[in-house]
Amino acid sequence: MQEIKAAIAANIQELRRSHKMTQSELAQKINYTDKAVSKWERAESVPDISALKQIADTFSVTVDYLLTREHSEY
């Protein structure tokens, strides 16, 4: 589970930054708090499945992409 948490954290942060989006902006898009996004990016917690789907849709990736660390592109 720790590996998945770390992958989700790294992927959310990487996608958010590559789209030049703040934690607050991402949080607003998916109707969560910036504190929740911060916790996800620090691997202190993981988004629930509906949040994972919203994040994936926001960045045009799959939920599977968010769960794995190894990928060629998004």
Side-chain angles (χ1 to χ4, degrees), residues 24-37:
S24 293
E25 290 168 335
L26 175 57
Q28 188 173 22
K29 279 189 176 287
I30 62 171
N31 295 319
Y32 278 79
T33 66
D34 57 335
K35 288 177 177 58
V37 174

Side-chain angles (χ1 to χ4, degrees), residues 5-71:
K5 257 186 176 179
I8 292 169
N11 287 326
I12 291 173
Q13 187 175 71
E14 182 179 302
L15 287 165
R16 180 181 59 75
R17 287 180 174 172
S18 71
H19 285 80
K20 296 180 181 13
M21 191 180 290
T22 66
Q23 288 179 342
S24 293
E25 290 168 335
L26 175 57
Q28 188 173 22
K29 279 189 176 287
I30 62 171
N31 295 319
Y32 278 79
T33 66
D34 57 335
K35 288 177 177 58
V37 174
S38 177
K39 283 184 175 185
W40 299 336
E41 290 187 359
R42 289 179 287 150
E44 290 180 5
S45 66
V46 293
D48 63 31
I49 191 65
S50 63
L52 281 173
K53 177 68 171 128
Q54 289 178 302
I55 294 165
D57 290 348
T58 297
F59 296 118
S60 300
V61 297
T62 63
V63 171
D64 188 53
Y65 179 97
L66 295 174
L67 301 176
T68 58
R69 196 61 191 121
E70 300 297 319
H71 23 70

